[in-house]
Amino acid sequence: MLTPWSRAAGYAALVTLPSWLWGALVVHVGGGFSLADLGMIAGGGLFFPPLAVAVLTVVRKALPALSRWRTATIDVSVYAFLVLVCAVLGGVWGGSGLAESVDWAFVMMTVALLDLQFVMAMGLSAWGYDRLVPTAPSGRVIRT
């Protein structure tokens, strides 16, 4: 709980936005989808990035910064869960049935795994870990 809100929000944006944009770009270029389809296809719609930034900010503010890779694993798990939830809700709100929306959400998670969106989020999480750790001096004097 030592991480300030601004650092937690910056970290969440660092993890979410580039990886989501990467996934959207790969799906758009590789799949030949139009820009109108891009919002629904790229990880649960355009409501995913603000929701993911908000949730990851709260998670990083509430949980202590563990080791670099434990923090990255927790954050990518939250990121993947939010991709799933946003894709289901986007499908239901778009008029599809619940069963079809759940199927589509798992397809989107598979696509996010194959286009390395989750891997990119994990790498960015590990790289941005230093933003979460307090940098105050410990007060010890090291003598050489």
Side-chain angles (χ1 to χ4, degrees):
M1 299 200 70
L2 298 173
T3 304
W5 283 103
S6 61
R7 285 185 176 218
Y11 168 82
L14 174 74
V15 171
T16 301
L17 298 177
S19 57
W20 181 78
L21 286 172
W22 172 256
L25 179 70
V26 168
V27 167
H28 176 67
V29 170
F33 296 102
S34 68
L35 287 177
D37 297 334
L38 186 61
M40 184 58 205
I41 289 177
L46 296 176
F47 55 88
F48 172 75
L51 178 68
V53 169
V55 170
L56 279 175
T57 300
V58 171
V59 166
R60 281 300 104 218
K61 186 68 179 155
L63 295 177
L66 302 169
S67 70
R68 182 178 305 272
W69 293 107
R70 288 176 96 185
T71 299
T73 302
I74 291 169
D75 292 348
V76 170
S77 299
V78 170
Y79 183 93
F81 177 74
L82 290 173
V83 167
L84 181 70
V85 168
C86 288
V88 168
L89 292 178
V92 169
W93 289 338
S96 300
L98 182 61
E100 187 176 327
S101 298
V102 170
D103 289 344
W104 180 250
F106 279 102
V107 167
M108 287 311 306
M109 287 190 66
T110 304
V111 168
L113 184 64
L114 293 176
D115 71 7
L116 304 178
Q117 183 177 351
F118 293 151
V119 174
M120 186 174 188
M122 180 166 269
L124 289 170
S125 176
W127 183 56
Y129 174 79
D130 293 333
R131 295 176 186 230
L132 302 174
V133 181
T135 57
S138 64
R140 296 184 328 186
V141 175
I142 299 175
R143 297 181 186 169
T144 58

